[in-house]
Amino acid sequence: MSNDDQYGGGAGYGEVGGTGQTRTRLPDSPSDAYGTPRRTPRASRGLITVVGVVVLLIAAIAFANQSQDTPQNPTSDKPPTTNTTAPTGTTPVTTKTAGVPKGFAHDEQGAQSAAANYAVALGSDGMLKKDVRHALVDGIYTPEAAAQRKGQQDAAYSPAFLATLGLDANGNAPQGSTFVTRAVPVGTRIENYGPATAKVSVWYTGLVGMSGAKSTAPVRTTWKTWTFDLTWAGDDWKVASDSQQDGPAPVPGDVAASTSDDISKAVQEFGGFTYAR
């Protein structure tokens, strides 16, 4: 499952993956996850085990959200644009349904805003809970794609899989712990665009792992690019298919890892944003 999740806005803005109400376009990348400090003299057996668990966790989350469809090619030969993602002052949306912003503009900016906000929603902890997950998928994908995704994801987010994350069958973390999964867009890129279809890539960093004193899979960062094939349907952009790939990933910084308490508090206190081009 690629559940790696932030965002709010000014008047009329909704929030996805958090409870903030601040309009922002590109937040700073999150700091290094707590757990094992960046600089370690040598890898111990315990560290290797933890790293292995985190790698498997991220891979499993990516698998659960991975589209099985063959990407469709929008009707445009326009090469990918590399314009700076600059704020325009235009409110991206004024309403939301089931926590998902809706009513994006029928233009390139609207397609990019939709893709960024969809990445946030699909990378949120709501995806761990069946009812919330179904509502998110129904609000983001076309009806045909949603019907397919829900079955795939229900199988992927099985009680057995949730148990490997340290969660119960309903996707809840143990008392005193917080399971963190957020996707934080860094930028968007139009691969090609047409009036009826658009392909948009979202470069994002993700937070994923369990924050808690007894966690064996502490919260860590990952870097991925999520590409959405969008179609204009029902007066809004909907996802027909999507895929992910690793990177681009920067060199890790030297910021000391935070404690599990600090990570849990930050997740609870810092809300998310509604993303606008």
Side-chain angles (χ1 to χ4, degrees):
M1 311 185 212
S2 162
N3 250 5
D4 301 332
D5 115 16
Q6 300 212 140
Y7 320 124
Y13 275 53
E15 53 83 23
V16 180
T19 56
Q21 287 296 325
T22 302
R23 186 172 191 310
T24 258
R25 202 194 42 74
L26 289 177
D28 294 334
S29 298
S31 62
D32 293 325
Y34 78 95
T36 306
R38 290 282 183 185
R39 297 176 175 174
T40 306
R42 66 177 187 179
S44 66
R45 181 176 301 176
L47 173 58
I48 293 174
T49 299
V50 168
V51 171
V53 169
V54 172
V55 170
L56 290 175
L57 165 63
I58 293 173
I61 289 179
F63 174 78
N65 273 3
Q66 184 71 31
S67 167
Q68 300 299 319
D69 295 343
T70 300
Q72 302 171 355
N73 294 320
T75 57
S76 173
D77 294 327
K78 183 178 179 180
T81 58
T82 55
N83 296 332
T84 300
T85 305
T88 63
T90 302
T91 301
V93 293
T94 57
T95 58
K96 64 177 181 176
T97 299
V100 181
K102 60 178 294 186
F104 293 97
H106 192 186
D107 54 23
E108 291 190 17
Q109 174 179 316
Q112 291 181 78
S113 292
N117 284 286
Y118 292 165
V120 172
L122 294 171
S124 70
D125 57 6
M127 294 294 289
L128 300 170
K129 303 178 186 302
K130 185 176 181 178
D131 291 344
V132 178
R133 179 170 67 247
H134 284 191
L136 290 174
V137 171
D138 283 336
I140 291 172
Y141 290 91
T142 62
E144 298 78 12
Q148 182 184 45
R149 288 303 178 288
K150 285 188 286 190
Q152 294 172 341
Q153 292 174 342
D154 287 349
Y157 288 87
S158 66
F161 171 72
L162 293 175
T164 67
L165 307 183
L167 306 173
D168 65 19
N170 296 316
N172 299 310
Q175 185 174 2
S177 297
T178 302
F179 189 79
V180 181
T181 169
R182 286 195 182 189
V184 187
V186 176
T188 58
R189 179 180 68 198
I190 286 283
E191 303 295 347
N192 44 44
Y193 177 83
T197 57
K199 177 177 285 189
V200 182
S201 291
V202 180
W203 179 35
Y204 74 94
T205 183
L207 301 177
V208 61
M210 185 75 76
S211 176
K214 298 181 179 180
S215 173
T216 57
V219 181
R220 295 184 181 256
T221 56
T222 183
W223 290 85
K224 291 181 178 291
T225 298
W226 205 333
T227 300
F228 295 93
D229 286 284
L230 304 171
T231 185
W232 184 256
D235 296 326
D236 209 351
W237 290 108
K238 297 291 185 178
V239 178
S241 63
D242 56 300
S243 60
Q244 295 200 54
Q245 64 182 44
D246 293 333
V251 175
D254 293 328
V255 179
S258 300
T259 65
S260 62
D261 286 344
D262 286 341
I263 293 295
S264 296
K265 183 181 295 185
V267 170
Q268 295 164 4
E269 294 180 352
F270 288 84
F273 303 102
T274 295
Y275 280 78
R277 180 86 165 75

